[in-house]
Amino acid sequence: MLDQSHLVRHMETLSAEEQMSLVSQIEEMDLSVLNETGEEEIRGIFSPLDALTLSQIAENRAHYKQLGLDAIRQGKVGAVLLAGGQGSRLGFKKPKGMFNIGVNRELSIFECLMRNLMTVTKEADAPVPLFVMTSADNNRETREFFEANNYFGYSSDNVWFFMQEQLPTLDRNGKLMLADRCSIRTAPNGNGGWYASMAKTGMLEVVRKSKIEWLNVFAVDNVLQQIADPCFIGAVIDSGRVSGAKVVAKAAPDEKVGVICLEDGKPSIVEYYEMTEEMRTLRTEDGRLAYNYGVILNYLFRVDKLNQTLGAHLPLHRAFKAIPYMDADGAMISPESPNAYKFETLALDMVRLQDDCLVFEVERDKEFAPVKNKTGVDSVDTARELLRKNGVEL
Ligand code: UTP
């Protein structure tokens, strides 16, 4: 193993308390990242997976919706907002949900999402318990923002916050990094650990005491996100499957999205860079792309099945990012470009742990407006345009 003694370089300058804090951080830290080779895992055999298409959904909309609304009214549906990310591409210093997507008025991303959720809870005339995942960096600000905004009109009794865990970051040479003289630079461990973090933080006790049977997990950064969508929930229940994924048809064969498919007969997501040219261009008999459906980070999972997969291994992905750190001379460095690796498990890898999954097609222009970048693709501008198209006043 690499020498990591630089971590205690400033030991002599630390107070007894600071020394204790550094030592216990090192002792308690999950150091499995040190064994990561950076090699992508070997995947199984992929085959296409059909979706419930827009037209099929339209034919049964009333039935699905009724089933979904009934489930919500019976308290069977909870929602999980994944808001622990760092949003580094957007370059906004606060939690991404606090970003003002409004133009002539204040409209935070959080408010947008809560409004979408409340459209459903008003129609159902029943609440959907909401679990908000934060991380060490943004937990306090997120909670305070909800408080300051009176939970956007939602009842605070139906909102729980929980924190995800952190993993250490590594520099190009595989060395752990310091955040300051007495702490190690860590980063949120990705959105794949949300259920494990719910377990660790007591949230599953809340679920257990409730009637929740389904959890709809979704990303903070899609401002057109339809949360606890009764039609989606109803369709999954009707299908008898244990999970569901909202998807959009690919805009082009080489669009850079993860595509839902089967891997060794199990539902799975293949990343765009893992697809061969043949997979990218393969067509069905009726001319559609065989690998056609991109995931948008909106899944429905059945709680009893999630419980069975708690503790199951999820692959650790590494991402090369601009990560601030303290250098050998004790100077704080804030790099402009990527300098180090952070490690993440991904929610999309949880799909592979499910026996089956209903692939549920939605209209891109109505449900998918991601805010990832400052400008260009999937940016503030493109999201605003889509919000306007959907009649949201900005
Ligand atoms: P992204 O993959 O876009 O990551 O997150 P990010 O950290 O927010 O953004 P970049 O890559 O630094 O620009 C997709 C969703 O998963 C959540 C995010 O908050 C977002 O809703 N997420 C991501 C977490 O909750 N925790 C994480 O550790 C990472």
Side-chain angles (χ1 to χ4, degrees), residues 229-245:
D229 172 1
C231 190
F232 176 43
I233 295 163
V236 176
I237 292 175
D238 190 63
S239 73
R241 301 194 190 182
V242 299
S243 68

Side-chain angles (χ1 to χ4, degrees), residues 293-309:
Y293 296 106
V295 285
I296 59 171
L297 222 179
N298 188 322
Y299 302 105
L300 189 68
F301 292 107
R302 218 171 75 188
V303 171
D304 60 337
K305 288 289 165 184
L306 285 172
N307 290 337
Q308 284 172 15
T309 57

Side-chain angles (χ1 to χ4, degrees), residues 100-129:
N100 180 23
I101 199 77
V103 178
N104 299 314
R105 63 176 183 127
E106 281 287 321
L107 178 64
S108 67
I109 292 181
F110 280 138
E111 182 169 351
C112 258
L113 298 177
M114 295 307 288
R115 279 171 182 244
N116 293 353
L117 174 59
M118 284 187 289
T119 309
V120 173
T121 55
K122 276 186 191 138
E123 184 171 10
D125 195 21
V128 169

Side-chain angles (χ1 to χ4, degrees), residues 70-275:
D70 287 348
I72 293 170
R73 288 184 187 126
Q74 289 158 11
K76 291 183 179 171
V77 182
V80 182
L81 165 54
L82 302 175
Q86 293 179 303
S88 57
R89 284 170 285 175
L90 184 62
F92 179 60
K93 293 276 176 275
K94 296 172 186 292
K96 205 189 245 189
M98 285 172 64
F99 187 84
N100 180 23
I101 199 77
V103 178
N104 299 314
R105 63 176 183 127
E106 281 287 321
L107 178 64
S108 67
I109 292 181
F110 280 138
E111 182 169 351
C112 258
L113 298 177
M114 295 307 288
R115 279 171 182 244
N116 293 353
L117 174 59
M118 284 187 289
T119 309
V120 173
T121 55
K122 276 186 191 138
E123 184 171 10
D125 195 21
V128 169
L130 175 69
F131 301 90
V132 183
M133 184 165 87
T134 63
S135 53
D137 292 340
N138 69 18
N139 179 56
R140 191 179 49 80
E141 263 185 305
T142 302
R143 297 174 79 122
E144 284 174 1
F145 193 67
F146 270 74
E147 287 279 334
N149 287 280
N150 199 20
Y151 289 73
F152 310 98
Y154 209 57
S155 159
S156 60
D157 293 346
N158 288 309
V159 182
W160 285 265
F161 295 92
F162 67 100
M163 262 206 273
Q164 66 176 100
E165 282 126 83
Q166 302 277 119
L167 279 173
T169 59
L170 296 182
D171 73 10
R172 278 193 181 85
N173 303 314
K175 299 248 184 182
L176 292 157
M177 301 156 82
L178 284 174
D180 54 45
R181 285 178 312 140
C182 59
S183 51
I184 290 168
R185 170 63 71 209
T186 61
N189 65 347
N191 56 29
W194 65 272
Y195 200 65
S197 296
M198 281 184 78
K200 287 210 175 92
T201 54
M203 292 298 118
L204 294 194
E205 275 306 295
V206 178
V207 172
R208 204 177 52 76
K209 287 187 186 140
S210 74
K211 295 184 180 143
I212 298 172
E213 289 179 10
W214 296 92
L215 284 172
N216 177 207
V217 58
F218 63 98
V220 73
D221 48 20
N222 172 9
V223 286
L224 284 179
Q225 190 82 258
Q226 301 300 300
I227 304 148
D229 172 1
C231 190
F232 176 43
I233 295 163
V236 176
I237 292 175
D238 190 63
S239 73
R241 301 194 190 182
V242 299
S243 68
K246 282 201 166 193
V247 297
V248 292
K250 272 168 74 166
D254 55 0
E255 194 190 354
K256 292 183 173 166
V257 287
V259 168
I260 195 151
C261 60
L262 291 174
E263 178 179 359
D264 296 335
K266 286 286 203 89
S268 181
I269 284 117
V270 56
E271 289 289 357
Y272 67 92
Y273 52 82
E274 293 172 317
M275 286 174 77

Side-chain angles (χ1 to χ4, degrees), residues 43-64:
R43 304 295 300 257
I45 309 268
F46 294 117
S47 55
L49 175 59
D50 250 351
L52 199 60
T53 60
L54 290 174
S55 57
Q56 289 169 323
I57 294 166
E59 275 169 29
N60 290 303
R61 180 165 295 279
H63 171 59
Y64 293 152

